[in-house]
Amino acid sequence: AQTVTQSQPEMSVQEAETVTLSCTYDTSESDYYLFWYKQPPSRQMILVIRQEAYKQQNATENRFSVNFQKAAKSFSLKISDSQLGDAAMYFCAYRSGGGGADGLTFGKGTHLIIQP
Amino acid sequence: GAGVSQSPSNKVTEKGKDVELRCDPISGHTALYWYRQRLGQGLEFLIYFQGNSAPDKSGLPSDRFSAERTGESVSTLTIQRTQQEDSAVYLCASSIHMADPGGTQYFGPGTRLTVL
């Protein structure tokens, strides 16, 4: 079974600064997808960014980018120019590319605090 | 509607009672997923539907849990004889098709279940 580990329960960053959230995962599969989801206090999970394992190029979405290290099974999220609206829980998630019966496997999350 | 909706938003029940949680996916989305989020934890995958078929129910925590889906629309998650350990937020998500494992899952706001 796949596991996802987020080792930082909480991170704090000054507004406009850059912060990196860590995520490692364990899998024996070669075809998979990785995701970062944001969960604000409203509870609604929002997809931030996704990465396909067979793509070497790191995904970027505006101020959000990832550092995907496949051999190390690491998938960190970098948030540049942090804004107050970025404050939320961030979850790293894994999904098998085999189109099987599983949903997403999530880490326990990192609570991101933005200091004004 | 524009997004995934869930009802009720909050549910308080007494131990031993049955509860029914409802999810309305995005129109046209054939895949639907249920997750459970315990306090301070990541999301735990419970079950998915492709259309009204749920081929794998092994993720359901116990035989007190069951789920149904009517066609490609509403799904209900039923918990019988609720226990205090069932207290959690139950989140529903939908995506265009299960066969696209990299596809975005759109989440609803969840139902917070409290078992007294």
Side-chain angles (χ1 to χ4, degrees):
Chain A
Q2 295 79 28
T3 58
V4 176
T5 302
Q6 292 179 251
S7 59
Q8 305 154 317
E10 186 173 279
M11 292 284 284
S12 181
V13 64
Q14 291 289 128
E15 193 176 2
E17 296 294 307
T18 295
V19 63
T20 299
L21 308 184
S22 301
C23 172
T24 59
Y25 58 95
D26 188 24
T27 184
S28 59
E29 299 175 330
S30 58
D31 181 19
Y32 53 87
Y33 295 81
L34 296 164
F35 306 83
W36 279 98
Y37 275 86
K38 170 184 177 181
Q39 187 179 40
S42 66
R43 295 199 310 238
Q44 193 145 7
M45 302 281 282
I46 302 164
L47 178 65
V48 174
I49 198 166
R50 99 187 79 215
Q51 175 79 40
E52 299 167 71
Y54 61 85
K55 287 191 175 179
Q56 292 187 330
Q57 186 173 6
N58 289 325
T60 62
E61 288 286 344
N62 300 312
R63 298 183 296 107
F64 299 87
S65 62
V66 299
N67 184 4
F68 174 47
Q69 301 290 328
K70 191 172 184 178
K73 296 180 182 175
S74 171
F75 183 61
S76 60
L77 174 70
K78 185 171 83 171
I79 305 174
S80 303
D81 184 25
S82 299
Q83 300 176 0
L84 294 177
D86 295 333
M89 287 292 295
Y90 285 81
F91 292 94
C92 179
Y94 171 102
R95 190 164 191 206
S96 171
D102 292 339
L104 295 163
T105 300
F106 285 87
K108 291 187 176 181
T110 296
H111 181 210
L112 179 62
I113 298 168
I114 310 295
Q115 304 279 6
Chain B
V4 178
S5 61
Q6 293 186 244
S7 61
S9 178
N10 292 282
K11 176 71 176 178
V12 180
T13 190
E14 294 180 346
K15 179 181 172 180
K17 299 283 189 182
D18 297 353
V19 296
E20 192 172 277
L21 313 179
R22 175 187 171 107
C23 171
D24 281 89
I26 292 171
S27 179
H29 281 195
T30 63
L32 185 148
Y33 313 81
W34 283 98
Y35 293 86
R36 177 171 72 177
Q37 184 177 26
R38 288 184 160 141
L39 186 63
Q41 301 294 313
L43 280 68
E44 172 191 1
F45 171 67
L46 299 180
I47 192 169
Y48 87 91
F49 288 88
Q50 178 57 45
N52 62 5
S53 173
D56 185 356
K57 300 180 180 179
S58 63
L60 294 174
S62 76
D63 58 9
R64 296 184 294 104
F65 287 70
S66 62
E68 293 183 343
R69 186 178 184 193
T70 305
E72 293 183 352
S73 60
V74 173
S75 176
T76 55
L77 179 68
T78 301
I79 309 173
Q80 295 179 311
R81 306 181 302 282
T82 52
Q83 304 294 313
Q84 289 182 333
E85 67 204 43
D86 299 333
S87 295
V89 174
Y90 290 83
L91 290 151
C92 173
S94 70
S95 66
I96 292 175
H97 198 281
M98 182 70 188
D100 178 14
T104 301
Q105 292 189 19
Y106 296 86
F107 283 80
T111 294
R112 182 181 298 280
L113 175 65
T114 302
V115 182
L116 301 177

